[in-house]
Amino acid sequence: NDQLQAERMEYALAEDVQVAKYDVGGRFDNHHDGYGRYLTVLTYLNGVGGTYFPFGNNDSNENDFTNQSKEQAMATIQDSVEKCGILIVGKEGANPYLHTRASSSTMNPKTVVEIRMGDAIAFYNYAPDGERDLRSLHCGLSVPEEKWIATCWFQSEALTGPFGYLK
């Protein structure tokens, strides 16, 4: 025990699973899971998607979103002609999200990923240098039917630095 206490131990911590229900029309604005959470695992419990990553496919070196504020990054991407979003859809399909007036100004997916009931996606919230990775910025779009998800976040000071929860 003395040896364990003397050494600095790196850790990874799984937070409690959070289950959320979205009623018809329910949504969640753009956000970054950050706060020391280096990994997010999102499970679609009833097969309804509606998650959008506006910068998800941004692998261009021309626009470095890593150190931009959310507002700066949104302005940069809206001015860009290149599509770089990822849209996650389920049994409801893509049409409810692509052909609505509310989504036309900010949603321009390059990729549409279809999920089924019980499928999960995982994404990193930080770049390898410990800075926020805005490619993981995402939102829950207004859903056309009831949606159930389970989310688990993983934390690690070794990956995000000792003050990752502030980033």
Side-chain angles (χ1 to χ4, degrees), residues 31-44:
H31 63 284
H32 184 272
D33 287 343
Y35 305 106
R37 296 167 169 166
Y38 73 93
L39 177 68
T40 299
V41 178
L42 182 59
T43 305
Y44 296 90

Side-chain angles (χ1 to χ4, degrees), residues 23-99:
D23 291 321
V24 173
R27 58 188 288 265
F28 198 100
D29 290 338
N30 280 317
H31 63 284
H32 184 272
D33 287 343
Y35 305 106
R37 296 167 169 166
Y38 73 93
L39 177 68
T40 299
V41 178
L42 182 59
T43 305
Y44 296 90
L45 300 176
N46 68 338
V48 175
T51 307
Y52 185 57
F53 295 82
F55 313 116
N57 274 321
N58 180 40
D59 54 6
S60 167
N61 291 330
E62 295 174 18
N63 296 319
D64 178 13
F65 298 120
T66 305
N67 294 312
Q68 291 184 3
S69 71
K70 183 172 89 172
E71 292 77 21
Q72 290 171 322
M74 289 298 283
T76 301
I77 200 64
Q78 287 177 348
D79 291 341
S80 173
V81 182
E82 179 186 10
K83 296 179 180 183
C84 67
I86 299 174
L87 173 62
I88 310 294
V89 301
K91 60 186 178 182
E92 76 282 11
N95 283 340
Y97 308 114
L98 297 176
H99 301 292

Side-chain angles (χ1 to χ4, degrees), residues 32 34-36 126 129-132 159-167:
H32 184 272
Y35 305 106
Y126 290 88
D129 64 3
E131 292 298 317
R132 265 189 329 173
L159 298 172
T160 62
F163 300 105
Y165 62 91
L166 297 174
K167 295 179 182 179

